Amino acid sequence: MLKKVLTYGTFDLLHRGHINLLKHCKHLGNYLIVGLSTDEFNTYKNKTACYSYKHRKYILEAIKYVDEVIAEDCWEQKIDDVIKYNIDLFVMGDDWKGKFDFLIPYCEVKYVPRTIGISTTDIKTKIENNLLGIK
């Protein structure tokens, strides 16, 4: 039986934390859909990605754990996506705990631990500090 899993994110500056999340999601089911934040949605969230949506999508599609990538255009689309793609399980990092419980009537919701010691924000900060000569 097919068990579809859905997660969302920006997935900029891909790192082992992203891979750990995707691997974990894939092992919780057998078909993984990733909702990838569009450039326009990132702008709305006051978030800047180093790579364009097209570039981030290309990278995600090459990862063996990912079966399909869809565009995340707004916060409100989650229920529609769960219904449209017949999602069984919605997975997000535990820093979002409770924020997506509104999906429980539509699918199972699970929050998983983040990888300790790595984040895109940390990588961006290290790059900026290095460029400025700060140690």
Side-chain angles (χ1 to χ4, degrees), residues 4-11 14 18 21-23 25-26 31-38 53 56-57 59-61 63 65-72 77 81 85 87 89-92:
K4 289 186 170 184
V5 179
L6 175 63
T7 191
Y8 288 89
T10 300
F11 295 95
L14 196 69
H18 291 132
L21 173 66
L22 296 170
K23 182 179 180 181
C25 287
K26 181 65 175 213
Y31 191 87
L32 175 59
I33 299 174
V34 177
L36 180 63
S37 297
T38 62
Y53 172 82
R56 292 178 286 118
K57 184 176 189 274
I59 292 169
L60 280 175
E61 289 173 336
I63 296 171
Y65 306 115
V66 177
D67 295 295
E68 187 173 349
V69 178
I70 61 172
E72 180 188 25
Q77 78 183 69
D81 285 348
Y85 295 100
I87 299 302
L89 175 63
F90 179 87
V91 180
M92 288 296 285

Side-chain angles (χ1 to χ4, degrees), residues 2 6-7 10 15-16 34 46-47 54 56 60-61 65 70 82 85 88 93 101 104 106 120 123 125 128:
L2 188 63
L6 175 63
T7 191
T10 300
H15 53 72
R16 66 184 167 88
V34 177
N46 293 316
K47 195 172 191 178
K54 182 179 177 181
R56 292 178 286 118
L60 280 175
E61 289 173 336
Y65 306 115
I70 61 172
V82 166
Y85 295 100
D88 300 294
D101 289 354
I104 291 171
Y106 305 95
T120 303
I123 292 169
T125 300
E128 289 169 2

Side-chain angles (χ1 to χ4, degrees), residues 40-48:
E40 296 77 16
F41 187 42
N42 279 335
T43 298
Y44 172 79
K45 296 186 292 184
N46 293 316
K47 195 172 191 178
T48 304

